[in-house]
Amino acid sequence: MGIARERYLQALDLFSAEARASADRLGLPTSCSEWSIADVVRHVTGVQADHAGAALLGRERTEQDALAEHRSVTTASSDWESVEAWETLAVQLRTAAHDAAEEAFASLPLPTLDMALHAWDIRWGAVRVGLAANLEFPAELLEWMEEYRERADESAIRGPGIFEPAIEPPADATRSERFAAWTGRQPRVAYVPMRDHAATPSSADAASAMPSASSA
């Protein structure tokens, strides 16, 4: 099995595991500013539908088509529906990844990294309320991520929608925590009791639950 394929599948399985483990706390905040766990799941579903959908599922779409599909999976829906949508897509991508030629993964380094980092973001929500410890990336995937960091163009990756300025990690930070800090994520998070941060629905979930004008 090719190296790029292996790391894509590792990131896919890592994100899927974190999304599934958080199914009972989808409204909790993540390390992504203003995004709940469900919001992160929606985002990753949209990114993978766009990029991996084209590379692995043969979806030949115009830019307008891709934008429309991205909006369809990231707009208001229930939090439960966001996980279901991800699981459906993940099965399709996992199957296609096993069958695809290695060349198909040439355009997927960033989508691969995106899944891995957002798995960290989801785990952050559980860490913050004392339900888990920080995520440690799989060794082979982390090694590739560190190589990416060494090659990265700092002027291109720092900015809105990409990475915030790097944060100085604690002296005893793990390799995974150091990588998260490099991307602008806080490598450690203070514990906040669950009773003060109940798993409330995300903003999108709340919006989908509101009665429409026709049913009011």
Side-chain angles (χ1 to χ4, degrees):
M1 186 176 288
I3 295 174
R5 184 200 320 272
E6 289 177 352
R7 63 175 171 249
Y8 181 82
L9 286 169
Q10 276 190 315
L12 179 70
D13 289 343
L14 182 67
F15 183 81
S16 291
E18 292 302 316
R20 196 175 301 118
S22 297
D24 62 345
R25 47 181 180 266
L26 293 169
L28 287 178
T30 69
S31 58
C32 294
S33 178
E34 299 182 359
W35 277 7
S36 70
I37 291 174
D39 293 330
V40 170
V41 173
R42 291 184 184 95
H43 163 77
V44 171
T45 303
V47 169
Q48 296 303 317
D50 289 350
H51 297 281
L56 302 178
L57 302 177
R59 296 177 178 175
E60 297 184 5
R61 298 163 296 165
T62 65
E63 183 176 344
Q64 185 174 2
D65 292 335
L67 181 60
E69 180 167 345
H70 185 92
R71 285 174 174 168
S72 74
V73 297
T74 57
T75 52
S77 62
S78 77
D79 287 356
W80 285 108
E81 287 171 343
S82 70
V83 176
E84 291 174 352
W86 165 252
E87 291 285 359
T88 298
L89 178 63
V91 169
Q92 296 172 349
L93 293 175
R94 190 175 293 108
T95 300
H98 281 288
D99 296 336
E102 184 67 14
E103 298 76 39
F105 298 89
S107 64
L108 297 180
L110 279 177
T112 299
L113 182 62
D114 188 70
M115 281 192 292
L117 286 174
H118 285 311
W120 168 281
D121 297 330
I122 287 178
R123 177 71 72 87
W124 186 97
V127 175
R128 190 164 184 257
V129 294
L131 296 178
N134 270 347
L135 177 67
E136 290 296 318
F137 299 112
E140 292 181 0
L141 182 61
L142 177 58
E143 183 176 351
W144 169 76
M145 293 163 69
E146 290 173 333
E147 291 173 357
Y148 178 94
R149 178 180 60 196
E150 295 304 314
R151 300 191 307 268
D153 179 353
E154 286 286 330
S155 64
I157 64 171
R158 303 293 175 188
I162 312 177
F163 294 155
E164 297 294 328
I167 294 171
E168 183 66 28
D172 63 344
T174 66
R175 288 169 61 191
S176 294
E177 289 173 338
R178 289 184 181 280
F179 190 88
W182 174 74
T183 68
R185 289 160 166 82
Q186 288 289 345
R188 301 275 172 86
V189 60
Y191 168 62
V192 178
M194 176 71 92
R195 64 178 179 274
D196 294 332
H197 289 271
T200 55
S202 68
S203 57
D205 198 32
S208 68
M210 293 290 288
S212 64
S214 60
S215 61

